[in-house]
Amino acid sequence: MNGDLSALPGIVALTLGVGAVATAAMLAPAVALGFCLARGNFRGKALVQALVAVPMVLPPVAVGFALLILLGRNGPLAFVWSALDIDLVFSWWAAVIAAAVVGFPLLTRACEQAFGEVDVRFEQVARSLGLGPLRSFFAVTLPLARRGVLYGSLLAFTRALGEFGATALVAGIIPGRTETLALGIYSRVQLGDESGALALCAASFAIALIAMLVAEGWLRRSRP
Amino acid sequence: MSQRTSRIRCHIDRPGFSLDVDVGWDERVAVVFGPSGSGKSTLFEIVLGLERCAGAHIRIGGSTFDDEAAGLYLPTECRDLGWVPQSPTLFPHLSVSENLDFGRARAADRDPAARKRAIEVLEIGDLLGRSIDQLSGGEAQRVAIARALASGPSALLLDEPLAALDLPLRARVLPYLMRVRDQLDLPILYITHDPDEAQLIGDIIVVLDAGRIVASGAPRDVLWSRAVLPLSEALGLENVFEGGIRREHGSPTFVSNAGLQLVLPVSLDGDTRVRIGLRAEDVVLAADRPGKISARNVLESRVIACDDRDGDVYVSLDAGEKLVAKVTAAAAAQLALAPGSTVYAIVKAQALRRLG
């Protein structure tokens, strides 16, 4: 087992898959919520903002435990899982859900900030030119905020790649199914496979570096 | 008032700001004039439906957008208004051409030729391929006006379109505004704090101060009226004339639309259509025609009215077109100025200023 790298491509692919699906899944809700928080002026806004931020500062293990209860066959949503006949706990989807929940605050915050920086005048002008609120959002607001939204997506994606605590609890460390890079490093260290752990660390580093290079490229290339 | 083609009634009461307006008019081009903070831009937001207020009635050029009594309230996108907000808010992620296309869905319904005409009137054909950050301030303002026009609006709302530009640039953009005014048969609502623009553009002026209407009527009458003068003078009130330039004996001569003739300094020679500004305090009055004098313009004039305001006398003259001179009370007394008397208004060519 020591120094065996044959599992590496599979782990990398699984990690990237979990990160990509988690990011894609949270994008629309995070954009919607971020926009509401940036533009809305409603009662309880501060509470919503705090609730959104909580998973970011909570111990990931606590998030994982909460998910374990929520997704479990004995939890408050058990009737849903029974009705749909699905077992989420310890599945690939559980890893995706854990990654999404932990990444969601990052993306929502980034979206809120990005939309906050778009002058509301642009939306008003678009509406004066005959576009409804939804069309003016997609034609003006989102394109003008795209830099921040993309950057936030990448942050959330990289956060998802590194997710450990929540995933370990709700998805377990099942090779080929839920064993991501972070979990793989942990299990290899536990088993004394230092060179295997090192290889996964190197892969993590490479992915993180590429992601950040892409992010910086976006920031520099896109027009304001 | 309810039968007027345009009407704005609105009432807003907030801590530190209140707006209480009820005004109607039939003229095509209305200027809302007032100092900054008087509520002019808020008035536009209400007309556009960006701000809602109770008891409102908004009708521009015969189209009613908001009539609480009739249960009518149209959202912004259904008001068919062409709006040019302060400082050009062109969409920075789109090219000039794409900015113009923004209102094409509405233009297709209302006026398919609107885009082409907007490009012609504002002469932006050469700019279409540019990105927004490649435009100068004056070009950006022309594109912003064209974008509003290209959407085929039922009326045009211009919010201080020249205020963000420095003086030379203003003189370059003003002629385009005059073209929009004269070549398109469109109701216009024009916000400004500049008395020159108000007099040149408006058929009617509504003077707003601290959220209240102080006066309304013909711009040249209202701005020089006793009630508005302190405000309009503080904002730079002067005589303004529009007309053409003729060349006689080497000197360019300005002939206003009403027939007033003024010799211009050679530096002001230029286009055939120009607007000229002349401060009331730069007009010298003489009882007799002076002999040799450096001033190039000696206009035999008839006194229409003398208005003494705290020791300053505003003398309205008919010099081919109405011209106001501001002299001291002592000077007015020495010349025995009275309605009907004849005086010579003396104007240095160098005192004339080209507005655009």
Side-chain angles (χ1 to χ4, degrees), chain A residues 121-122 124-133 135 139-140 143-144 146 223-224, chain B residues 45 48 50 75-77 81 83 85 89-93 102-103 106 131 147 151:
Chain A
R121 271 280 186 256
F122 288 119
Q124 295 175 336
V125 169
R127 295 195 57 196
S128 80
L129 290 166
L131 273 70
R135 281 180 60 210
V140 175
L144 288 177
R146 72 194 182 291
R223 281 186 289 166
Chain B
E45 288 177 356
L48 282 156
L50 300 172
T76 304
E77 58 269 27
L81 291 167
W83 175 39
T89 39
L90 296 170
F91 303 122
H93 61 300
F102 218 81
R106 186 168 79 197
S131 69
R147 179 180 64 184
S151 71

Side-chain angles (χ1 to χ4, degrees), chain B residues 1-2 4 6-12 19-25 42-47 51-60 64-73 79 189 206 208 211 213:
Chain B
M1 192 176 282
S2 58
R4 294 281 174 90
S6 298
R7 183 185 184 191
I8 299 176
R9 184 181 71 198
C10 58
H11 177 80
I12 288 181
L19 185 67
D20 196 1
V21 166
D22 191 355
V23 61
W25 68 93
T42 308
L43 204 64
F44 260 23
E45 288 177 356
I46 293 168
V47 171
E51 175 108 30
R52 203 166 176 176
C53 67
H57 187 117
I58 310 292
R59 184 169 61 245
I60 305 294
T64 305
F65 308 127
D66 189 349
D67 183 356
E68 197 173 67
L72 174 75
Y73 182 82
R79 296 195 173 198
L189 205 52
V206 175
L208 204 60
I213 292 177

Side-chain angles (χ1 to χ4, degrees), chain B:
Chain B
M1 192 176 282
S2 58
Q3 72 280 9
R4 294 281 174 90
T5 55
S6 298
R7 183 185 184 191
I8 299 176
R9 184 181 71 198
C10 58
H11 177 80
I12 288 181
D13 216 347
R14 285 196 217 115
F17 178 77
S18 76
L19 185 67
D20 196 1
V21 166
D22 191 355
V23 61
W25 68 93
D26 291 317
E27 288 82 352
R28 185 170 68 89
V29 182
V31 167
V32 180
F33 176 85
S36 40
S38 58
K40 304 188 299 287
S41 290
T42 308
L43 204 64
F44 260 23
E45 288 177 356
I46 293 168
V47 171
L48 282 156
L50 300 172
E51 175 108 30
R52 203 166 176 176
C53 67
H57 187 117
I58 310 292
R59 184 169 61 245
I60 305 294
S63 309
T64 305
F65 308 127
D66 189 349
D67 183 356
E68 197 173 67
L72 174 75
Y73 182 82
L74 293 180
T76 304
E77 58 269 27
C78 299
R79 296 195 173 198
D80 296 340
L81 291 167
W83 175 39
V84 181
Q86 264 185 64
S87 75
T89 39
L90 296 170
F91 303 122
H93 61 300
L94 301 175
S95 70
V96 168
S97 184
E98 288 166 331
N99 265 276
L100 290 185
D101 283 340
F102 218 81
R104 66 175 179 270
R106 186 168 79 197
D109 286 348
R110 294 184 44 86
D111 183 3
R115 187 184 196 272
K116 189 165 168 286
R117 201 168 49 240
I119 293 170
E120 283 168 9
V121 172
L122 289 141
E123 292 181 331
I124 56 165
D126 294 342
L127 309 177
L128 292 177
R130 295 226 200 135
S131 69
I132 297 309
D133 52 16
Q134 289 172 316
L135 299 177
S136 72
E139 289 168 342
Q141 200 55 272
R142 274 154 62 198
V143 172
I145 297 166
R147 179 180 64 184
L149 290 174
S151 71
S154 65
L156 191 59
L157 267 56
L158 298 163
D159 191 349
E160 305 257 17
L162 301 180
L165 308 176
D166 57 29
L167 281 174
L169 218 47
R170 244 182 250 195
R172 300 238 298 268
V173 177
L174 180 66
Y176 289 101
L177 288 171
M178 301 305 290
R179 284 167 63 129
V180 168
R181 187 210 130 94
D182 295 335
Q183 294 182 13
L184 305 176
D185 186 29
L186 209 59
I188 296 175
L189 205 52
Y190 189 105
I191 285 183
T192 185
H193 64 260
D194 183 318
D196 291 345
E197 290 168 44
Q199 292 180 88
L200 285 169
I201 298 227
D203 296 324
I204 180 177
I205 190 172
V206 175
V207 181
L208 204 60
D209 196 11
R212 301 278 183 285
I213 292 177
V214 184
S216 67
R220 278 163 211 261
D221 297 339
V222 168
L223 287 172
W224 292 93
S225 70
R226 193 175 277 259
V228 179
L229 196 76
L231 179 64
S232 54
E233 237 184 359
L235 294 170
L237 180 66
E238 61 182 350
N239 294 288
V240 295
F241 307 104
E242 192 183 16
I245 289 185
R246 224 169 46 203
R247 276 156 206 90
E248 281 173 355
H249 321 301
S251 299
T253 302
F254 170 82
V255 184
S256 84
N257 294 341
L260 170 71
Q261 295 200 18
L262 292 165
V263 174
L264 300 176
V266 176
S267 58
L268 289 195
D269 199 356
D271 303 344
T272 42
R273 300 297 304 164
V274 291
R275 293 102 205 150
I276 298 291
L278 170 63
R279 285 147 47 99
E281 48 269 51
D282 285 344
V283 180
V284 175
L285 299 182
D288 306 306
R289 183 182 281 279
K292 283 183 180 170
I293 185 168
S294 71
R296 292 295 86 195
N297 298 291
V298 177
L299 309 164
E300 185 176 336
S301 314
R302 195 173 52 82
V303 175
I304 304 169
C306 294
D307 198 354
D308 187 334
R309 291 166 215 182
D310 306 324
D312 291 327
V313 180
Y314 292 78
V315 187
S316 299
L317 303 166
D318 180 0
E321 181 165 349
K322 187 181 157 184
L323 170 70
V324 179
K326 182 179 177 183
V327 297
T328 60
Q334 194 189 5
L335 269 67
L337 295 175
S341 60
T342 297
V343 287
Y344 294 89
I346 299 166
V347 176
K348 285 164 65 77
Q350 300 292 356
L352 298 168
R353 197 162 67 87
R354 168 100 181 259
L355 303 174

Side-chain angles (χ1 to χ4, degrees), chain A residues 48-152:
Chain A
V48 175
Q49 278 171 318
L51 279 175
V52 167
V54 158
M56 205 156 50
V57 289
L58 216 60
V61 176
V63 175
F65 187 61
L67 285 175
L68 194 60
I69 294 171
L70 279 176
L71 303 181
R73 280 287 192 162
N74 300 317
L77 296 177
F79 68 97
V80 179
W81 316 131
S82 306
L84 297 173
D85 194 26
I86 47 173
D87 256 319
L88 286 172
V89 173
F90 301 130
S91 73
W92 182 81
W93 284 105
V96 169
I97 291 169
V101 168
V102 174
F104 186 72
L106 280 173
L107 184 49
T108 306
R109 286 250 140 166
C111 290
E112 180 186 346
Q113 199 187 346
F115 290 128
E117 282 168 12
V118 176
D119 193 336
V120 72
R121 271 280 186 256
F122 288 119
E123 290 159 30
Q124 295 175 336
V125 169
R127 295 195 57 196
S128 80
L129 290 166
L131 273 70
L134 204 62
R135 281 180 60 210
S136 91
F137 173 80
F138 282 108
V140 175
T141 319
L142 192 56
L144 288 177
R146 72 194 182 291
R147 212 158 57 149
V149 173
L150 278 175
Y151 195 72

